[in-house]
Amino acid sequence: ELPSDAEEQLRSGEQQLELSGRRLRRLPSAVCALSRLQKLYVSGTGLRELPEEIEELRELRILALDFNKLERLPDGLCRLPRLTRLYLGGNRLLALPADFAQLQSLRCLWIEGNFLRRFPRPLLRLVALQSLQMGDNRLRALPAELPRMTGLRGLWLYGNRFEEFPPALLRMGRLHILDLDRNRLGGFPDLHPLRALRVFSYDHNPVTGPPRVADTVFLVGEGAVERMAERDEPTPRPLPRRPARAFEEEEEEDLLIGGGSSRALGPAGGSLPALEAAPGLGT
């Protein structure tokens, strides 16, 4: 059954259901009967599985499933035609279903804090995806086909196991934000080919200084303060680590800089609006 306050939530007319923080091993089957539902938040509930019937939520735009115990995703989740924002961080995922590529409306995917050892190849077919959060996984390499993701503007890869700068990134000329904090990188190539880059974070890597970048790039890492001082620009701020939730109808660029109506999940530690200080973003 639905929680006792669900009817009151839905009566507001926003077609939004908040179940976060409750103890749920399974998603109540009655939720999947809410065919007009647009926003569903089921964060931090202990959820272990999702029913295939979730595909009946054909109007769903936002789905938050982060900080649960999911080990796999049902194919039914891949058949949500209007889904634009999906939060899967802090689960136990080893891979994504092959049908995940059907989520062609997806613009924002947060899948940090899982057990991904390889870049999920279905993502390569999501050419409209703009924001991809893959921090705190177990990635060692990126596929050569990564530049197929022509819509990507923000890519978070902190806390993985990269020992060399992935060559495919040098062909991601439309990236605005790139975060490689807390890896095992000993150096960087010349990053001038990343012509659209505005923020590059490389802190907590065994490097001796900042990479070569255009003067328009906002740096965060070893030697960045000195480099920014030479340019007479503000001291860099840390990049965000937590997802911004409940985006409303902001411009697509707000997927990267947060927007005014976001809600932060998890403990304090930065939020997407901090990126508004970076030069060039939001233009």
Side-chain angles (χ1 to χ4, degrees):
E1 297 181 358
L2 290 173
S4 57
D5 64 340
E7 184 176 346
E8 182 180 353
Q9 288 190 51
L10 297 171
R11 194 182 298 127
S12 68
E14 293 186 5
Q15 292 302 316
Q16 171 178 315
L17 185 59
E18 175 68 80
L19 302 177
S20 298
R22 307 168 192 240
R23 297 179 67 89
L24 297 173
R25 288 179 177 269
R26 295 174 57 89
L27 187 69
S29 58
V31 172
C32 298
L34 301 173
S35 59
R36 298 174 58 192
L37 196 65
Q38 295 186 16
K39 303 174 185 178
L40 176 59
Y41 303 104
V42 197
S43 302
T45 65
L47 198 68
R48 294 179 179 272
E49 59 181 318
L50 291 171
E52 287 288 346
E53 290 79 13
I54 196 170
E55 67 177 290
E56 297 174 13
L57 300 176
R58 308 290 289 179
E59 297 297 320
L60 203 63
R61 268 72 165 176
I62 300 174
L63 177 58
L65 297 166
D66 37 350
F67 305 107
N68 283 298
K69 300 179 181 180
L70 297 172
E71 297 182 1
R72 60 174 296 274
L73 301 176
D75 290 338
L77 184 144
C78 305
R79 292 189 281 272
L80 298 174
R82 299 182 183 274
L83 194 65
T84 62
R85 299 167 178 93
L86 177 59
Y87 302 101
L88 294 168
N91 279 284
R92 302 173 179 178
L93 299 173
L94 295 169
L96 295 178
D99 288 346
F100 200 86
Q102 295 182 24
L103 295 173
Q104 288 296 307
S105 295
L106 202 62
R107 298 293 182 269
C108 177
L109 174 62
W110 293 70
I111 195 169
E112 79 285 2
N114 281 279
F115 301 138
L116 300 175
R117 293 182 179 273
R118 296 184 178 181
F119 189 92
R121 299 196 68 82
L123 297 184
L124 297 173
R125 295 169 56 189
L126 299 180
V127 296
L129 192 68
Q130 292 190 352
S131 179
L132 177 57
Q133 220 305 8
M134 300 188 71
D136 287 329
N137 276 283
R138 302 179 181 183
L139 301 176
R140 295 180 181 271
L142 297 177
E145 301 93 336
L146 189 68
R148 291 180 184 174
M149 302 180 71
T150 54
L152 207 59
R153 298 295 182 268
L155 180 57
W156 286 261
L157 297 169
Y158 62 84
N160 278 282
R161 300 180 180 180
F162 296 105
E163 296 182 359
E164 297 181 357
F165 188 88
L169 289 177
L170 289 176
R171 294 183 287 123
M172 300 293 290
R174 299 182 180 182
L175 270 184
H176 291 183
I177 300 170
L178 177 58
D179 186 344
L180 283 165
D181 280 4
R182 291 192 287 111
N183 278 280
R184 305 171 183 175
L185 300 171
F188 301 101
D190 187 339
L191 300 186
H192 279 87
L194 300 179
R195 295 182 297 275
L197 194 63
R198 293 295 178 268
V199 180
F200 179 55
S201 185
Y202 59 94
D203 211 7
H204 302 98
N205 279 283
V207 295
T208 57
R212 289 176 290 173
V213 295
D215 288 343
T216 54
V217 178
F218 196 74
L219 293 172
V220 182
E222 180 70 25
V225 173
E226 293 78 7
R227 178 66 60 86
M228 299 294 286
E230 292 174 2
R231 300 183 196 165
D232 194 25
E233 294 185 10
T235 301
R237 300 180 183 179
L239 283 181
R241 291 290 181 260
R242 297 294 179 191
R245 272 184 40 184
F247 294 97
E248 302 299 335
E249 300 298 329
E250 294 94 348
E251 296 295 329
E252 292 297 332
E253 190 72 14
D254 284 344
L255 290 172
L256 302 179
I257 63 175
S261 59
S262 60
R263 298 181 346 187
L265 278 181
S271 59
L272 281 172
L275 291 181
E276 292 176 338
L281 291 182
T283 58

